[in-house]
Amino acid sequence: MKKTILKSMTAMAITFSAVAAPINVLSMEAVQARAESVKPVYKNRAEIPEQYKWKLEHIYPTKAAWEADIKKATDLANQFTLHQGKLSTSAKSLKAALDDYSTLMRIHDKAYVYASMALDVNTSNAELQDLADRAEKMSVAVKEKTSWLGPEIVAIAPLRITAFLRNEGLAPYRYFVKDILRTKNHTLSKDLEELLAQSTPLADNPEGIYGMLSKDIKFPKIKDENGQEVQLTRSNFISYMESKNREVRKQAYEAYYQTLAQYQDTFAQTLGGKVKANNLYAKARKYDTAMEASLTPNNVPTKVYDELIDTVDKSLPLMHRYMELKKKMLGVSELHMYDIYTPIVQANDSYIPYDQAKEMVLTGLKPLGEQYGKLLEEAFNGGWVDVYPTDDKRSGAYQWGAYDTHPYVLLNYEGTKDDVATIAHELGHAMQSYYTNKKQPYISSNYPIFTAEVASTMNEHLLWESEYKNAKTKEEKMYLLNQRLENFRTTLFRQTQFAEFEKVIHEKEQKGESLNAEALKALYKEINQKYYGPAMISDEEISMEWARIPHFYYNFYVYQYATSFAASTALAKQILDQGQPAFERVRDNFLAAGNSSDPISVLKAAGVDMSTAQPIEETMAVFKQTLDELEKLLNEK
């Protein structure tokens, strides 16, 4: 995950759990090796060795230095209002305002990131809570003082702004200004814009109600693998769906979705309300559809969305074939939706020490060249990465930072294979941020969401290729092949399935059709059956899955997971096939591009045209190749 500071006008001592072996059985070297292979447990942050913690002092050496920037950002925000009403007077005036805006926002970002990241690794610290609160208040004030900039640029007469942009002094700002002007036809009068802005909390109510309802629902108890009664919850649902015991999976599946069905009408009202709001805002801004209203501000043509759904739909026979294989490998007479999460090949789940994980990542990313490898070493050894979890560290993983800092990566490393992939993933974000900040001016350094996941998943593809190449046994290879197939299923197929459902429900509401619970259930089950094919028993419970997906409240967001996966698959293959020239093309035209051009053009220059079906077709070829290889290994004696 990449956390961003938005720059647009519209958003701105170790305790081991090891038992020592007798010294006469193992050499001292062997004892040391064993100790290093056991998962370390840290009670608090003070126990973690310094080499495993990021160095926020690289941003501010003292609290006083941070305090100075908080004050400076506030002062500069107040001074920035002096530019208001003067942008149209001359190119010089516009440049002066944009120069000051860049200066202000660079300080804002640096101060905000520091306070937020300091709290993320020590959430119970009252002093750090105070810092984060003050940073948030500073940020709100800055946004209020700069909110007029976009509308005033839009208000400049077309011929006048065109003449201004010919001025060489405004060269660094041309794309930024043109990007604001691009949606001018969908910008309303000042009064209407204010009215829409004031109505935003109402439009967000369905998501808030959905979140509260989802949190408050109590699920029944089920019996686990040992026959013990356990409480089913939202957070442990998937872990029970991954159980080797089929009865446990079935219990969890039925209990979860049958419980959701008890609230189906409320869920339908919340989702329907969000869809209505999206369609209303699209109509108000003179867009033909809500999808167009969502994609256009990000400079992504609606053709990309449609091309994704059409191409994946044509490739569904491959997905159906994978389900047939899964059914065979699980040895079941009927394949149900509660069977798809359990692994068909068991993994070696022994702990992977962090230093070993680093070497795995460095080896896997060698195709990206010597310079990239040296940057990875700098990240690992130079205070970029915060590695181990503690009770008061926030969960998950992300990459963050500001224009005037090196990238930072937060991990909660537990030593699993997935954790190794997460390191590669987050460092992909970090390298994109590094290259972008080196090449681009501040104003065009914030790469968009559409491209944000490409660099990270490209690294995951390369890591997988390295692990598969170095796999020693048939079992290892089969595990890795199944892992890749599951990545395809959950990212390319499943996210496209969600995207298709999202598109259809908006179209139905726009036509005046009801989005009641029964209509949503029937539609979702129909699409699910299409994606999983005849080998899958599409149980009635799956018709309620839409009520478990919060992404349906994010307004045409999920398709980007699938497009990023396709683009990164294509780029990883080019780098493996063509070597350093391909990586240099990717580095210079994509990793270092930031927001200097629209995302489709950036990816096209890197070597993948997402306005066509080709990248998705090439990705499907990789899926087929992986499926062929797993079937081949299964048939070997």
Side-chain angles (χ1 to χ4, degrees), residues 370-380 384 431 434-435:
E370 186 178 348
Q371 182 201 49
Y372 195 100
K374 287 181 179 178
L375 286 172
L376 292 175
E377 293 275 11
E378 183 180 342
F380 285 133
W384 295 23
M431 293 303 110
Y434 177 89
Y435 284 119

Side-chain angles (χ1 to χ4, degrees), residues 408-589:
Y408 285 88
V409 169
L410 180 139
L411 303 173
N412 277 278
Y413 187 77
E414 298 278 5
T416 68
K417 283 186 174 291
D418 283 346
D419 286 341
V420 179
T422 297
I423 296 171
H425 180 103
E426 299 303 339
L427 286 173
H429 287 312
M431 293 303 110
Q432 186 173 10
S433 296
Y434 177 89
Y435 284 119
T436 290
N437 291 346
K438 287 294 181 183
K439 183 176 180 179
Q440 300 298 331
Y442 171 83
I443 207 74
S444 56
S445 64
N446 189 37
Y447 47 91
I449 293 171
F450 188 83
T451 62
E453 293 300 325
V454 177
S456 55
T457 51
M458 182 181 75
N459 278 12
E460 288 192 69
H461 289 304
L462 293 171
L463 176 65
W464 185 91
E465 292 284 356
S466 171
E467 290 183 336
Y468 190 69
K469 180 181 177 182
N470 293 310
K472 300 290 192 297
T473 67
K474 176 181 175 179
E475 289 71 24
E476 281 183 87
K477 290 180 179 180
M478 288 177 61
Y479 167 77
L480 289 165
L481 290 167
N482 181 61
Q483 179 192 52
R484 171 175 264 194
L485 290 171
E486 279 298 289
N487 285 341
F488 273 84
R489 181 185 70 79
T490 57
T491 309
L492 185 55
F493 288 101
R494 181 171 169 82
Q495 301 305 324
T496 305
Q497 176 188 345
F498 290 167
E500 186 168 349
F501 176 76
E502 190 172 10
K503 180 186 178 187
V504 174
I505 60 177
H506 280 82
E507 291 172 345
K508 284 181 175 295
E509 197 284 328
Q510 193 174 21
K511 293 174 185 175
E513 296 182 28
S514 173
L515 294 182
N516 59 50
E518 294 302 326
L520 289 170
K521 287 166 64 178
L523 175 62
Y524 193 88
K525 186 176 181 182
E526 178 187 342
I527 294 176
N528 192 78
Q529 286 175 326
K530 181 176 75 169
Y531 272 74
Y532 284 91
M536 177 66 72
I537 303 296
S538 208
D539 310 280
E540 185 58 36
E541 286 84 1
I542 200 62
S543 65
M544 280 301 300
E545 188 176 41
W546 54 270
R548 192 173 73 85
I549 312 301
H551 297 74
F552 291 141
Y553 295 83
Y554 298 173
N555 195 12
F556 294 93
Y557 185 91
V558 295
Y559 83 99
Q560 295 169 114
Y561 292 123
T563 54
S564 295
F565 188 84
S568 63
T569 303
L571 292 179
K573 189 175 186 304
Q574 290 175 24
I575 290 168
L576 290 170
D577 291 347
Q578 302 167 25
Q580 194 64 18
F583 170 67
E584 290 174 1
R585 183 181 69 243
V586 170
R587 180 194 63 201
D588 297 342
N589 296 299

Side-chain angles (χ1 to χ4, degrees), residues 323-335 535:
M323 291 300 104
E324 292 280 3
L325 181 62
K326 186 179 276 280
K327 178 181 177 182
K328 177 182 176 182
M329 293 184 72
L330 287 174
V332 295
S333 59
E334 288 183 348
L335 183 70

Side-chain angles (χ1 to χ4, degrees), residues 7-22:
K7 304 180 181 73
S8 72
M9 295 298 97
T10 55
M12 280 287 284
I14 307 174
T15 302
F16 288 106
S17 57
V19 177

Side-chain angles (χ1 to χ4, degrees), residues 329-355:
M329 293 184 72
L330 287 174
V332 295
S333 59
E334 288 183 348
L335 183 70
H336 290 259
M337 289 301 299
Y338 52 76
D339 293 319
I340 63 173
Y341 287 97
T342 190
I344 56 179
V345 181
Q346 295 305 315
N348 178 354
D349 57 1
S350 56
Y351 177 76
I352 303 170
Y354 179 65
D355 287 343

